[in-house]
Amino acid sequence: MRPIHLLLAPALLLLAACAQAPISTIGPDGRPLPKVYQIGPGDEGRIQYEMLDGVNALRQAAGAAPVTLNPQLNAAAATHSRDMSNQNRPWHFGSDGSSPLDRVRRVGYTGQMLGENISETYETELETLSAWMEQPDTRDVILDRRGRDMGFAWYQERNGKIWWTLIMGGGAGGVGLGS
């Protein structure tokens, strides 16, 4: 009779051959592969205030006054984020042809609309803010010294893709781009 370990050895080798190789978390460029950032139903306030805190820290470092979240601009941003998902393209015009100015007027915002940043990504809100800060045009929206109000919202698809929209407003003074 053979010892039990000699009988089990071939079975263990067979099982080891069937085991899957570990999934790499490093991409071919040597950077970590992205993970799906899943936003839960109770995360809205946390995410909006993390973005607000991040924007205000950057504004402070640049010598600009802090901004506050504005519910009307949040509503315009949320509408546009969902609409971009429906259109499956990140751009500043709505499926009905609306512009950012049209959207802030529709929600009743009476301040000056200064700019809109958008993004289609799987990244977190702070990674998105970092990407916006790397581009001169989107950085200028965030750091605009006339800014007083901010709207920020997103729409996340089932596959994890997130459509982010940030709108900067200049407080009282009428709707219009720049001065």
Side-chain angles (χ1 to χ4, degrees), residues 53-64 129-130 133 142-143:
D53 289 346
V55 165
N56 280 333
L58 293 165
R59 290 177 62 83
Q60 181 181 11
L129 177 58
S130 178
M133 289 301 290
I142 293 164
L143 300 180

PDB file of all heavy atoms in Angstrom, residues 53-64 129-130 133 142-143:
ATOM      1  N   ASP A  53     -14.132  71.468  -0.814  1.00  0.00           N
ATOM      2  CA  ASP A  53     -12.924  71.669  -0.013  1.00  0.00           C
ATOM      3  C   ASP A  53     -11.675  71.689  -0.895  1.00  0.00           C
ATOM      4  O   ASP A  53     -10.775  72.514  -0.694  1.00  0.00           O
ATOM      5  CB  ASP A  53     -12.786  70.585   1.057  1.00  0.00           C
ATOM      6  CG  ASP A  53     -13.811  70.716   2.171  1.00  0.00           C
ATOM      7  OD1 ASP A  53     -14.471  71.780   2.284  1.00  0.00           O
ATOM      8  OD2 ASP A  53     -13.972  69.730   2.935  1.00  0.00           O
ATOM      9  N   GLY A  54     -11.620  70.769  -1.868  1.00  0.00           N
ATOM     10  CA  GLY A  54     -10.474  70.733  -2.779  1.00  0.00           C
ATOM     11  C   GLY A  54     -10.374  71.994  -3.619  1.00  0.00           C
ATOM     12  O   GLY A  54      -9.296  72.588  -3.768  1.00  0.00           O
ATOM     13  N   VAL A  55     -11.502  72.430  -4.172  1.00  0.00           N
ATOM     14  CA  VAL A  55     -11.525  73.655  -4.976  1.00  0.00           C
ATOM     15  C   VAL A  55     -11.108  74.849  -4.121  1.00  0.00           C
ATOM     16  O   VAL A  55     -10.281  75.672  -4.531  1.00  0.00           O
ATOM     17  CB  VAL A  55     -12.930  73.876  -5.599  1.00  0.00           C
ATOM     18  CG1 VAL A  55     -13.095  75.298  -6.116  1.00  0.00           C
ATOM     19  CG2 VAL A  55     -13.178  72.868  -6.714  1.00  0.00           C
ATOM     20  N   ASN A  56     -11.648  74.956  -2.907  1.00  0.00           N
ATOM     21  CA  ASN A  56     -11.318  76.104  -2.058  1.00  0.00           C
ATOM     22  C   ASN A  56      -9.868  76.090  -1.600  1.00  0.00           C
ATOM     23  O   ASN A  56      -9.252  77.153  -1.459  1.00  0.00           O
ATOM     24  CB  ASN A  56     -12.290  76.208  -0.888  1.00  0.00           C
ATOM     25  CG  ASN A  56     -13.596  76.840  -1.316  1.00  0.00           C
ATOM     26  OD1 ASN A  56     -13.643  77.630  -2.261  1.00  0.00           O
ATOM     27  ND2 ASN A  56     -14.669  76.498  -0.626  1.00  0.00           N
ATOM     28  N   ALA A  57      -9.288  74.928  -1.396  1.00  0.00           N
ATOM     29  CA  ALA A  57      -7.864  74.856  -1.050  1.00  0.00           C
ATOM     30  C   ALA A  57      -7.014  75.366  -2.217  1.00  0.00           C
ATOM     31  O   ALA A  57      -6.050  76.121  -2.012  1.00  0.00           O
ATOM     32  CB  ALA A  57      -7.476  73.427  -0.678  1.00  0.00           C
ATOM     33  N   LEU A  58      -7.384  74.977  -3.427  1.00  0.00           N
ATOM     34  CA  LEU A  58      -6.648  75.444  -4.606  1.00  0.00           C
ATOM     35  C   LEU A  58      -6.841  76.947  -4.820  1.00  0.00           C
ATOM     36  O   LEU A  58      -5.906  77.661  -5.166  1.00  0.00           O
ATOM     37  CB  LEU A  58      -7.108  74.668  -5.843  1.00  0.00           C
ATOM     38  CG  LEU A  58      -6.739  73.178  -5.840  1.00  0.00           C
ATOM     39  CD1 LEU A  58      -7.537  72.432  -6.899  1.00  0.00           C
ATOM     40  CD2 LEU A  58      -5.235  73.007  -6.044  1.00  0.00           C
ATOM     41  N   ARG A  59      -8.062  77.404  -4.605  1.00  0.00           N
ATOM     42  CA  ARG A  59      -8.346  78.835  -4.752  1.00  0.00           C
ATOM     43  C   ARG A  59      -7.566  79.642  -3.707  1.00  0.00           C
ATOM     44  O   ARG A  59      -7.006  80.697  -4.024  1.00  0.00           O
ATOM     45  CB  ARG A  59      -9.849  79.099  -4.637  1.00  0.00           C
ATOM     46  CG  ARG A  59     -10.642  78.582  -5.836  1.00  0.00           C
ATOM     47  CD  ARG A  59     -12.136  78.795  -5.673  1.00  0.00           C
ATOM     48  NE  ARG A  59     -12.482  80.212  -5.572  1.00  0.00           N
ATOM     49  CZ  ARG A  59     -12.639  81.040  -6.598  1.00  0.00           C
ATOM     50  NH1 ARG A  59     -12.487  80.574  -7.839  1.00  0.00           N
ATOM     51  NH2 ARG A  59     -12.961  82.310  -6.412  1.00  0.00           N
ATOM     52  N   GLN A  60      -7.523  79.166  -2.478  1.00  0.00           N
ATOM     53  CA  GLN A  60      -6.780  79.860  -1.428  1.00  0.00           C
ATOM     54  C   GLN A  60      -5.303  79.948  -1.791  1.00  0.00           C
ATOM     55  O   GLN A  60      -4.680  81.007  -1.633  1.00  0.00           O
ATOM     56  CB  GLN A  60      -6.953  79.157  -0.089  1.00  0.00           C
ATOM     57  CG  GLN A  60      -6.221  79.853   1.042  1.00  0.00           C
ATOM     58  CD  GLN A  60      -6.390  79.132   2.375  1.00  0.00           C
ATOM     59  OE1 GLN A  60      -6.872  78.012   2.439  1.00  0.00           O
ATOM     60  NE2 GLN A  60      -5.991  79.802   3.444  1.00  0.00           N
ATOM     61  N   ALA A  61      -4.731  78.851  -2.281  1.00  0.00           N
ATOM     62  CA  ALA A  61      -3.321  78.843  -2.662  1.00  0.00           C
ATOM     63  C   ALA A  61      -3.042  79.830  -3.795  1.00  0.00           C
ATOM     64  O   ALA A  61      -1.940  80.366  -3.900  1.00  0.00           O
ATOM     65  CB  ALA A  61      -2.902  77.432  -3.071  1.00  0.00           C
ATOM     66  N   ALA A  62      -4.067  80.085  -4.633  1.00  0.00           N
ATOM     67  CA  ALA A  62      -3.915  81.011  -5.754  1.00  0.00           C
ATOM     68  C   ALA A  62      -4.319  82.439  -5.382  1.00  0.00           C
ATOM     69  O   ALA A  62      -4.302  83.331  -6.228  1.00  0.00           O
ATOM     70  CB  ALA A  62      -4.747  80.534  -6.938  1.00  0.00           C
ATOM     71  N   GLY A  63      -4.733  82.655  -4.128  1.00  0.00           N
ATOM     72  CA  GLY A  63      -5.129  83.984  -3.682  1.00  0.00           C
ATOM     73  C   GLY A  63      -6.547  84.373  -4.052  1.00  0.00           C
ATOM     74  O   GLY A  63      -6.888  85.554  -4.037  1.00  0.00           O
ATOM     75  N   ALA A  64      -7.391  83.396  -4.377  1.00  0.00           N
ATOM     76  CA  ALA A  64      -8.792  83.662  -4.739  1.00  0.00           C
ATOM     77  C   ALA A  64      -9.693  83.374  -3.544  1.00  0.00           C
ATOM     78  O   ALA A  64      -9.388  82.523  -2.705  1.00  0.00           O
ATOM     79  CB  ALA A  64      -9.208  82.799  -5.931  1.00  0.00           C
ATOM     80  N   LEU A 129     -10.618  66.547 -10.306  1.00  0.00           N
ATOM     81  CA  LEU A 129     -10.178  67.909 -10.015  1.00  0.00           C
ATOM     82  C   LEU A 129      -8.701  68.084 -10.369  1.00  0.00           C
ATOM     83  O   LEU A 129      -8.312  69.090 -10.974  1.00  0.00           O
ATOM     84  CB  LEU A 129     -10.422  68.245  -8.539  1.00  0.00           C
ATOM     85  CG  LEU A 129      -9.955  69.614  -8.054  1.00  0.00           C
ATOM     86  CD1 LEU A 129     -10.602  70.740  -8.849  1.00  0.00           C
ATOM     87  CD2 LEU A 129     -10.227  69.759  -6.559  1.00  0.00           C
ATOM     88  N   SER A 130      -7.892  67.109 -10.034  1.00  0.00           N
ATOM     89  CA  SER A 130      -6.471  67.164 -10.363  1.00  0.00           C
ATOM     90  C   SER A 130      -6.262  67.233 -11.879  1.00  0.00           C
ATOM     91  O   SER A 130      -5.429  68.018 -12.365  1.00  0.00           O
ATOM     92  CB  SER A 130      -5.758  65.938  -9.779  1.00  0.00           C
ATOM     93  OG  SER A 130      -4.399  65.944 -10.134  1.00  0.00           O
ATOM     94  N   MET A 133      -7.063  70.642 -13.127  1.00  0.00           N
ATOM     95  CA  MET A 133      -6.029  71.625 -12.782  1.00  0.00           C
ATOM     96  C   MET A 133      -4.817  71.535 -13.704  1.00  0.00           C
ATOM     97  O   MET A 133      -4.020  72.472 -13.776  1.00  0.00           O
ATOM     98  CB  MET A 133      -5.605  71.469 -11.320  1.00  0.00           C
ATOM     99  CG  MET A 133      -6.662  71.910 -10.322  1.00  0.00           C
ATOM    100  SD  MET A 133      -7.152  73.640 -10.500  1.00  0.00           S
ATOM    101  CE  MET A 133      -5.663  74.467  -9.930  1.00  0.00           C
ATOM    102  N   ILE A 142     -11.834  77.051 -12.454  1.00  0.00           N
ATOM    103  CA  ILE A 142     -11.771  76.772 -11.018  1.00  0.00           C
ATOM    104  C   ILE A 142     -11.198  77.948 -10.238  1.00  0.00           C
ATOM    105  O   ILE A 142     -11.670  78.274  -9.149  1.00  0.00           O
ATOM    106  CB  ILE A 142     -10.951  75.480 -10.766  1.00  0.00           C
ATOM    107  CG1 ILE A 142     -11.708  74.281 -11.341  1.00  0.00           C
ATOM    108  CG2 ILE A 142     -10.637  75.288  -9.294  1.00  0.00           C
ATOM    109  CD1 ILE A 142     -10.871  73.028 -11.511  1.00  0.00           C
ATOM    110  N   LEU A 143     -10.205  78.609 -10.803  1.00  0.00           N
ATOM    111  CA  LEU A 143      -9.501  79.671 -10.080  1.00  0.00           C
ATOM    112  C   LEU A 143      -9.990  81.077 -10.417  1.00  0.00           C
ATOM    113  O   LEU A 143      -9.418  82.054  -9.924  1.00  0.00           O
ATOM    114  CB  LEU A 143      -7.993  79.575 -10.356  1.00  0.00           C
ATOM    115  CG  LEU A 143      -7.320  78.268  -9.939  1.00  0.00           C
ATOM    116  CD1 LEU A 143      -5.837  78.301 -10.277  1.00  0.00           C
ATOM    117  CD2 LEU A 143      -7.555  77.960  -8.473  1.00  0.00           C
TER     118      LEU A 143
END
